[in-house]
Amino acid sequence: QAQLVESGGGLVESGGSLRLSCAASRGTLRHYAIFGWFRQAPGKEREAISCIDRTDGSTLYTGSVRGRFTISIDNHDNTLYLQMNSLKPEDTAVYYCAADTLEGYGCILEFEYGSWGQGTQVTVSS
């Protein structure tokens, strides 16, 4: 299994943008078929916010980020991305990427992925 590493988090003003990246520090993402982004705010449960199926390109978003966030995967540089625009203070959380080898079911938003990153902090100031 590859070890996933997120990057790109930070402090941004409300209305700003950030792009999160997720790469493999060991191994490669090429073995995985589906990918997800999750977040967890202080005192709240982990929330699935987006997923993508590498095979058919299908994507899903939770309602609170739809239209503002875009998930993508660059098969050339083997990196998963989450472009976050129009950020709001309520987007403040630790963001995690996840991956799994499950194929044939398309993108599944709520899924117990087999591999996870360590998380990157995103803070949106008002």
Side-chain angles (χ1 to χ4, degrees), residues 54-67:
R54 179 203 295 275
T55 304
D56 63 15
S58 61
T59 59
L60 288 172
Y61 299 90
T62 192
S64 62
V65 308
R66 191 176 299 119

Side-chain angles (χ1 to χ4, degrees), residues 91-103:
D91 294 318
T92 295
V94 177
Y95 283 70
Y96 301 88
C97 65
D100 203 274
T101 56
L102 181 71
E103 292 186 74

Side-chain angles (χ1 to χ4, degrees), residues 1 4 29-36 38 52-55 80 97-106 108 111-116:
Q1 275 186 337
L4 307 183
L29 294 184
R30 293 190 179 94
H31 301 309
Y32 297 105
I34 58 173
F35 302 84
F38 293 74
I52 185 168
D53 183 308
R54 179 203 295 275
T55 304
L80 175 72
C97 65
D100 203 274
T101 56
L102 181 71
E103 292 186 74
Y105 295 89
I108 305 171
F111 182 70
E112 290 297 325
Y113 289 83
S115 298
W116 291 81

Side-chain angles (χ1 to χ4, degrees), residues 16-96:
S17 298
L18 283 174
R19 187 177 77 159
L20 304 183
S21 301
C22 173
S25 64
R26 291 196 315 267
T28 174
L29 294 184
R30 293 190 179 94
H31 301 309
Y32 297 105
I34 58 173
F35 302 84
W37 283 99
F38 293 74
R39 67 185 179 187
Q40 187 164 21
K44 295 187 177 181
E45 293 188 354
R46 188 182 68 194
E47 176 187 23
I49 58 173
S50 185
C51 64
I52 185 168
D53 183 308
R54 179 203 295 275
T55 304
D56 63 15
S58 61
T59 59
L60 288 172
Y61 299 90
T62 192
S64 62
V65 308
R66 191 176 299 119
R68 300 187 298 122
F69 291 10
T70 303
I71 189 172
S72 62
I73 184 161
D74 187 323
N75 290 312
H76 177 69
D77 66 13
N78 202 26
T79 303
L80 175 72
Y81 297 100
L82 183 69
Q83 177 67 43
M84 306 187 296
N85 298 329
S86 302
L87 283 162
K88 306 174 181 180
E90 51 263 43
D91 294 318
T92 295
V94 177
Y95 283 70
Y96 301 88

